[in-house]
Amino acid sequence: MVNASMLDIGSFNFKVLLGILVARYIMIVIACGVTKLSTQTYANPIGIMGLHALFCTQSNDVAIGLPIVKAIWPLATNPIDLPGYLILISTMQVIAVNPVCICIVEYGNSKLALEQREEEEDADPDQPEPSLAAKVAIGVITNPLVLGALTGLVFNFGCGRGCLQGGYAGDLLTTIGDAFSFCALFLTGISMHTHKAKKDQKEHDDDDGDDDTEDGEELEDESSMSQLDTTAAIPALVAGKSLALPILIRVLLIALLSSSNSDYSTLLNFGFLYGTLPVASLPVVLANRYNIRPKMIALASVISTFVSMPLLLGAAVLFDSPDSAALNN
């Protein structure tokens, strides 16, 4: 919130934000299309499409991206507020991109639940539930990142940029913001481990239970198909997030930005570096919440982190060199 309240909104080039937003929407279409072709035999293909799209567009902006951007382009020596760009992009991700993916997942789950309800002989009467749009809207509005960012923007426009830069309120919010990076990384690691363990225990309990033979055969068939599909799905997800997205962002920024701009090279390098950031913990959380390939998504998130780190290191060293401007000519 304090970061959003201190931003000089008028100093940002909104073509950069537009390029990154369009690149993410294109990745959603690509991820959904590829997933649809490969998951037609699954019980919830639409839910898998939404989860894969979220994986390919989600980035760990604050916990990993913000320290790296501050180290490469510090505000003291760089005329462009690239950490501010990162904060705006992160807010834009939560408001404009995540709801699209979550809407696809919710639609797939609702459709699957309706089909299962119709197949049941003794189904309970339909109970009124919130609409899909209402569920997504409530989830977005109650998201802490959205609330904090929107509150910061209200302070920005209502009270001015300096209202939270000093005093006890500013010091307190700055300390809380600095501690968020560690908490976010800790949440990512502990979510992967505990949710995976719970899922394994649940599968073990299901195997020891008195399930029907047909249900057991369907579960076994789906499990074997999932094991075969994981071999191709994980590399595809990691390649889409760590390779295709940064290239797509760079291509769109080249098309949108003017080469005569003095910040042209820096903005292109920032866009590519941003695209290589590893995936955040949200896909893992949603995979366990909706029970959609939780173990595969957790493994893909870990692999994405290890793949992204060499790319981030190489890009950081390359963009920090004196000859980095020549790469964009």
Side-chain angles (χ1 to χ4, degrees):
M1 182 180 72
V2 64
N3 289 328
S5 67
M6 296 178 184
L7 296 178
D8 184 7
I9 305 298
S11 64
F12 293 97
N13 189 339
F14 285 91
K15 290 183 179 180
V16 177
L17 304 178
L18 177 62
I20 295 177
L21 180 63
V22 173
R24 280 176 157 163
Y25 282 143
I26 294 175
M27 279 303 304
I28 290 177
V29 176
I30 295 175
C32 290
V34 173
T35 304
K36 181 175 178 61
L37 296 176
S38 60
T39 59
Q40 295 180 356
T41 58
Y42 284 83
N44 188 8
I46 299 178
I48 298 176
M49 288 166 52
L51 191 61
H52 287 184
L54 182 66
F55 185 97
C56 292
T57 56
Q58 181 75 206
S59 296
N60 205 329
D61 301 336
V62 179
I64 296 179
L66 196 57
I68 294 176
V69 171
K70 287 182 177 180
I72 301 176
W73 297 289
L75 288 175
T77 58
N78 191 62
I80 311 175
D81 186 8
L82 292 180
Y85 273 102
L86 197 64
I87 294 171
L88 288 180
I89 293 170
S90 179
T91 305
M92 183 176 61
Q93 164 79 26
V94 177
I95 297 176
V97 180
N98 288 357
V100 177
C101 302
I102 296 175
C103 182
I104 299 174
V105 176
E106 289 282 359
Y107 176 74
N109 287 343
S110 301
K111 182 178 180 181
L112 179 62
L114 180 60
E115 293 176 352
Q116 292 177 347
R117 191 180 303 115
E118 292 176 351
E119 293 177 357
E120 294 178 357
E121 296 180 357
D122 299 330
D124 295 333
D126 294 336
Q127 297 180 354
E129 296 182 355
S131 63
L132 179 59
K135 291 181 180 179
V136 176
I138 293 173
V140 173
I141 294 174
T142 56
N143 188 290
L145 180 59
V146 177
L147 288 176
L150 292 179
T151 304
L153 292 176
V154 170
F155 274 99
N156 191 318
F157 290 106
C159 305
R161 295 172 53 200
C163 60
L164 293 179
Q165 291 183 354
Y168 293 106
D171 295 339
L172 176 61
L173 292 175
T174 301
T175 302
I176 296 174
D178 293 337
F180 177 77
S181 298
F182 169 79
C183 296
L185 291 174
F186 180 78
L187 174 62
T188 301
I190 197 172
S191 297
M192 290 178 184
H193 177 72
T194 56
H195 285 298
K196 182 178 183 299
K198 291 179 180 178
K199 175 62 178 175
D200 293 339
Q201 181 65 31
K202 181 179 179 181
E203 291 179 351
H204 178 72
D205 294 340
D206 291 341
D207 292 339
D208 293 341
D210 297 332
D211 296 337
D212 294 336
T213 304
E214 295 180 357
D215 295 339
E217 291 177 353
E218 291 178 0
L219 180 61
E220 183 178 357
D221 292 340
E222 185 173 353
S223 177
S224 61
M225 290 173 61
S226 179
Q227 292 176 0
L228 293 174
D229 184 62
T230 299
T231 307
I234 291 180
L237 290 174
V238 174
K241 174 63 189 72
S242 302
L243 297 177
L245 183 60
I247 294 175
L248 188 58
I249 291 176
R250 188 176 182 87
V251 170
L252 288 174
L253 291 183
I254 291 175
L256 292 174
L257 298 177
S258 173
S259 59
S260 60
N261 191 338
S262 59
D263 303 328
Y264 178 76
S265 176
T266 303
L267 292 175
L268 288 185
N269 295 339
F270 167 75
F272 184 86
L273 181 72
Y274 174 77
T276 59
L277 291 177
V279 66
S281 60
L282 181 58
V284 179
V285 175
L286 291 183
N288 286 275
R289 176 181 177 182
Y290 296 110
N291 195 21
I292 301 175
R293 296 182 168 184
K295 293 193 291 184
M296 191 203 76
I297 295 297
L299 180 59
S301 298
V302 175
I303 295 176
S304 172
T305 302
F306 282 102
V307 171
S308 297
M309 288 308 172
L311 294 175
L312 285 170
L313 179 61
V317 173
L318 188 62
F319 297 154
D320 195 38
S321 64
D323 299 331
S324 61
L327 298 174
N328 303 307
N329 297 329

